[in-house]
Amino acid sequence: RLQGNFPYEEDGRHYYLVAYDDDEGAGSTRTTTTMDNKKVIGFCDIDGRIPTNAKNIFSLSPFATNVNRPHPYFSDLAVHPDHRRKGVASALMAEAEDRARGMGFEELYLGVRSGNELALQWYSRMGYEMIVPSGDMLAFLEIQKEVRMLRGSLDRL
């Protein structure tokens, strides 16, 4: 779904990060281009592409509109149930934040469903704050019903 809806380009501004379990143990951070014999235990998406016009970056998705989401945008964080509460999500978030910093950003945005209290608490502990949407974010949230927008400063460390 992600690969089809959010095509990855060679510009170094859009990443699909994967945590995997291998012989080195859960959550290895070693960079690899192949997943042979590795069990995916978590993943996320970080999109730092800056829209160049009023066209939507969602043009291939079912959400096709003229709405731009905030950037850089962190999304689709998931961790296999057997590997939760072991630092996998934190490692993925740290890598996404490092990549956003490497793109020159000072903040990272993400959306969380209003009813996902555990995620909202976790992001709050990590320094993310709920924001009052404005501009394009309002239109983005009209598409993404029941989502709270959060923003974290990347220089908080």
Side-chain angles (χ1 to χ4, degrees), residues 21-32:
D21 192 2
D22 69 0
D23 293 337
E24 296 178 25
S28 176
T29 57
R30 187 170 38 89
T31 302
T32 185

Side-chain angles (χ1 to χ4, degrees), residues 2-24:
L2 288 173
Q3 187 65 31
N5 290 337
F6 304 103
Y8 296 82
E9 300 162 358
E10 297 295 324
D11 65 359
R13 299 186 72 80
H14 192 192
Y15 298 94
Y16 187 59
L17 305 176
V18 177
Y20 58 90
D21 192 2
D22 69 0
D23 293 337
E24 296 178 25

Side-chain angles (χ1 to χ4, degrees), residues 48-69:
R49 295 175 295 168
I50 300 171
T52 56
N53 57 36
K55 295 268 185 215
N56 176 11
I57 59 176
F58 291 122
S59 61
L60 298 177
S61 83
F63 303 115
T65 67
N66 288 329
V67 176
N68 292 313
R69 64 182 173 181

Side-chain angles (χ1 to χ4, degrees), residues 93-118:
M93 176 59 91
E95 180 66 22
E97 289 174 340
D98 285 346
R99 295 203 182 213
R101 276 188 212 93
M103 291 180 232
F105 291 108
E106 296 176 0
E107 298 175 319
L108 183 61
Y109 294 87
L110 57 99
V112 177
R113 295 233 178 262
S114 300
N116 193 343
E117 289 298 324
L118 289 176

